[in-house]
Amino acid sequence: MQKRLPKYRSVIIRTASYLYILVFVYAAVSKLLDFENFRVQLAQSPLLSAYAGLIAPAVIILELLLALMLCFKTTRLTGLYGSFFLMVAFTVYIYLILNFSDFVPCSCGGIIEKLGWTEHLVFNIAFAALAVVAIVLLEKEKSSRTVVVILKSVLPSLLAAGLVVGLFLSSEHIIKQENNFIRRFGQHPIRDEKSLDMGANSYYFAGMVDGQIYLGNTTAPLILTTVDTALTTKKSIKIRLDNTGHPFRFIQAQVKPPHFYLYDGTVPVIYRGQLGDSLAYTISFEDCYFSQLQVIDSLSFVFRAQSSQTKTQVLGRLNLYQNPKVRLNETLLEKQVDGMFDTDGWLLRDEVTRELLYVYTYRNQFLVMDRELNLLRKLHTIDTTSRAQVQVRALSDGRHKMDAPPLQVNKTQAVHGQVLFNQSNLMGKFESREIWKQAAVVDLYRTGKQEYLGSFYVHDRGKNKLSRLFATDKHVFVLSGSEIKRYRFAQAVTRHFRTGEAENLEQSRQ
């Protein structure tokens, strides 16, 4: 019996080696044949996203190198130790995915493609055990001491586990706080539920009250339309103004219960009406010119305007009860080129937290402010365009004109519960150009601190692309062409929302 034992040892060692060769060659070739897809899928990993560009080729090279080492008797033991190290690393990676990941990604090529994550965890554990058996038998042939074999087996496993955990922690920090423009697309963060054809492509979101979405219309500015959140009924009301004798150029509507507001900053005039009534009265006339406006309450507003002194864009506050009514904050919007085009962006209000946001159009930055326009946080999006790429020429009459089309970074936004939904205009690393031709990309960010939360696609409706966003506790509504569409958020999105209960309680005590 003792004479036959070395033969069985040899068979087991060769069998383990050949199985590893088969697995590694198959996996490496599969990844290599579809390398771009493998790298894209690895970039979606919630553990290793930040290192996809390095890890993708490194894994393939290491698998092929280990397969080669296992072919030769002189390097087989080293190859088995390396195989054990790599298999332990894969096992720890899958364990972290299943237990500590924000989401479980799709498979990423090779044999993983044929198995689920749990099944592959079992597969890896079995192969790691097979490597240990082969290592022990091979070390016994060399008469190695048992304690040496144990140490040489335990140390690689600890090193592999530590390396994967370290990469995970480092990658999470980089992706969420110091992103180098790698997006993560979770599994089904939104679900397409329903759509309604509005009959025109000129609508925009004006607000929401008691389950009714209010829509303004750029081509019919005195028509206010309501649609229920189930997208089953649509009603329109024609607004009557107490004074129509102004040279209107761009009337817009906004709803903040219990009132609706119509305004045109080129006049400048602001009207206010009671919801349920069609008559709107003038509450502000010639107090200040503005290009954007957000309602704070029935008598106070924040706006964006052009400073008469510096000719740059500024943010300001209009309070009809104060004297003076208008107060400007000329330090919030930072000039990079001309102070006009380079500071272009969108002024938003979070109805849950009552914070204000200003999202720059041509740079990767957004500001978070309180209702008094005090700067709370200066945060950035994950692209790398920190300086507005605009070319501006000054005209003889003092006006400015763009010399070339600018690089648009951010297109349209919505904010809800300290989560910013930002439609990006720039393609990130490891992303498919074909998908970009068929869909818009919406990135999610916390507004309470610097953190990127993930991204999702909103697919085009034929030739119609996303034009406006509106977010609620459970849904995101999208205007695309003449349609309004409703998507339901997955729990992976809604868990990031902050409720307004604590703030409302605190306000009730004051």
Side-chain angles (χ1 to χ4, degrees):
M1 188 72 177
Q2 290 296 324
K3 293 181 179 179
R4 298 177 61 187
L5 194 58
K7 182 179 178 180
Y8 283 107
R9 287 179 181 174
S10 179
V11 170
I12 292 173
I13 292 168
R14 286 202 306 271
T15 301
S17 300
Y18 294 156
L19 285 174
Y20 264 105
I21 291 169
L22 177 64
V23 168
F24 284 159
V25 170
Y26 171 78
V29 171
S30 298
K31 296 182 181 85
L32 199 57
L33 290 175
D34 196 8
F35 180 73
E36 286 304 315
N37 185 48
F38 169 59
R39 191 169 62 173
V40 167
Q41 290 176 329
L42 192 60
Q44 296 309 308
S45 162
L47 270 65
L48 305 176
S49 304
Y51 302 106
L54 176 64
I55 290 177
V59 167
I60 296 173
I61 293 171
L62 188 56
E63 287 176 336
L64 291 175
L65 180 62
L66 289 173
L68 183 64
M69 294 176 70
L70 291 168
C71 291
F72 303 101
K73 192 172 182 179
T74 55
T75 56
R76 186 165 292 159
L77 182 59
T78 303
L80 284 170
Y81 274 115
S83 301
F84 176 62
F85 171 88
L86 191 59
M87 202 55 67
V88 170
F90 287 161
T91 304
V92 173
Y93 169 73
I94 294 174
Y95 178 80
L96 291 174
I97 284 283
L98 293 173
N99 293 277
F100 298 98
S101 169
D102 289 341
F103 62 93
V104 178
C106 299
S107 61
C108 50
I111 291 179
I112 297 180
E113 210 167 26
K114 312 299 180 183
L115 301 174
W117 286 97
T118 302
E119 290 82 0
H120 201 80
L121 179 65
V122 175
F123 177 91
N124 282 5
I125 292 173
F127 258 71
L130 182 62
V132 170
V133 171
I135 287 171
V136 170
L137 293 177
L138 197 53
E139 288 281 14
K140 280 189 175 182
E141 282 190 358
K142 296 184 176 184
S143 302
S144 300
R145 294 172 58 190
T146 303
V147 66
V148 174
V149 176
I150 293 174
L151 287 175
K152 289 172 69 175
S153 301
V154 170
L155 288 177
S157 62
L158 293 177
L159 181 60
L163 177 63
V164 174
V165 172
L167 287 174
F168 164 52
L169 297 175
S170 175
S171 180
E172 285 295 278
H173 177 77
I174 292 172
I175 289 294
K176 291 184 176 181
Q177 300 182 33
E178 299 178 4
N179 195 289
N180 56 352
F181 210 5
I182 298 175
R183 287 191 172 93
R184 283 181 179 170
F185 295 90
Q187 287 187 314
H188 314 298
I190 59 172
R191 186 174 74 245
D192 188 347
E193 287 193 326
K194 198 170 183 181
S195 64
L196 176 66
D197 193 336
M198 299 294 294
N201 62 358
S202 50
Y203 286 98
Y204 60 90
F205 293 110
M208 179 176 171
V209 181
D210 297 332
Q212 295 291 317
I213 300 171
Y214 284 79
L215 300 166
N217 192 325
T218 56
T219 58
L222 296 183
I223 300 295
L224 198 58
T225 301
T226 61
V227 178
D228 65 325
T229 53
L231 301 187
T232 56
T233 59
K234 177 179 71 172
K235 297 180 181 179
S236 296
I237 182 174
K238 185 173 183 180
I239 305 300
R240 297 175 294 126
L241 304 178
D242 67 345
N243 187 343
T244 59
H246 300 301
F248 297 117
R249 293 177 58 189
F250 190 50
I251 299 178
Q252 290 185 284
Q254 196 172 145
V255 173
K256 182 172 176 54
H259 301 107
F260 67 88
Y261 300 82
L262 267 75
Y263 49 89
D264 188 337
T266 66
V267 174
V269 63
I270 303 174
Y271 300 91
R272 185 182 68 209
Q274 194 80 17
L275 287 172
D277 191 4
S278 62
L279 182 60
Y281 297 91
T282 304
I283 60 171
S284 172
F285 177 59
E286 293 188 339
D287 289 320
C288 64
Y289 291 88
F290 55 87
S291 54
Q292 291 187 39
L293 187 78
Q294 283 291 333
V295 180
I296 301 298
D297 55 45
S298 60
L299 293 172
S300 59
F301 312 83
V302 293
F303 60 88
R304 189 190 70 180
Q306 183 179 17
S307 170
S308 58
Q309 296 180 342
T310 63
K311 304 301 179 184
T312 59
Q313 293 200 105
V314 296
L315 298 181
R317 196 166 189 276
L318 170 64
N319 191 317
L320 302 180
Y321 264 167
Q322 286 184 346
N323 188 18
K325 295 181 180 179
V326 177
R327 295 181 180 179
L328 300 180
N329 188 326
E330 303 199 28
T331 62
L332 282 171
L333 303 185
E334 296 180 351
K335 174 181 176 181
Q336 291 184 332
V337 181
D338 68 325
M340 191 64 189
F341 291 112
D342 63 339
T343 56
D344 201 9
W346 289 98
L347 183 61
L348 310 171
R349 185 176 186 272
D350 189 333
E351 292 296 333
V352 177
T353 66
R354 296 171 174 79
E355 292 177 335
L356 297 163
L357 273 72
Y358 190 82
V359 184
Y360 286 105
T361 299
Y362 303 121
R363 66 179 91 161
N364 65 346
Q365 191 179 90
F366 60 96
L367 311 178
V368 183
M369 303 155 285
D370 64 18
R371 57 185 291 160
E372 301 293 333
L373 288 183
N374 297 309
L375 181 64
L376 302 178
R377 293 169 287 277
K378 187 183 295 184
L379 307 174
H380 58 81
T381 55
I382 59 174
D383 65 273
T384 57
T385 311
S386 59
R387 184 172 179 83
Q389 298 182 27
V390 296
Q391 299 178 30
V392 181
R393 177 161 51 94
L395 303 178
S396 57
D397 59 2
R399 293 183 296 118
H400 290 77
K401 181 180 179 181
M402 282 195 182
D403 262 356
L407 176 65
Q408 187 177 15
V409 175
N410 306 310
K411 296 186 71 173
T412 188
Q413 299 84 24
V415 61
H416 182 80
Q418 274 199 345
V419 176
L420 171 66
F421 299 83
N422 179 61
Q423 182 193 0
S424 175
N425 197 46
L426 300 180
M427 188 167 66
K429 294 181 180 178
F430 318 123
E431 293 178 19
S432 168
R433 190 171 296 277
E434 287 303 311
I435 295 181
W436 266 81
K437 293 178 181 178
Q438 306 167 16
V441 172
V442 178
D443 301 324
L444 282 64
Y445 303 91
R446 289 194 191 277
T447 63
K449 62 179 180 178
Q450 181 62 58
E451 185 174 349
Y452 163 65
L453 300 174
S455 303
F456 59 78
Y457 289 113
V458 177
H459 289 272
D460 301 340
R461 304 286 290 179
K463 294 183 179 180
N464 296 318
K465 298 181 179 296
L466 182 156
S467 61
R468 305 273 182 152
L469 288 167
F470 187 81
T472 67
D473 287 337
K474 297 180 180 179
H475 300 97
V476 60
F477 293 88
V478 170
L479 289 174
S480 178
S482 63
E483 282 189 325
I484 179 172
K485 288 188 61 63
R486 186 185 72 197
Y487 297 86
R488 177 174 287 274
F489 289 130
Q491 195 270 339
V493 175
T494 58
R495 67 188 178 90
H496 294 296
F497 288 145
R498 172 186 162 186
T499 65
E501 295 175 358
E503 179 181 356
N504 293 338
L505 179 62
E506 184 64 28
Q507 288 185 348
S508 66
R509 293 173 178 171
Q510 294 178 354

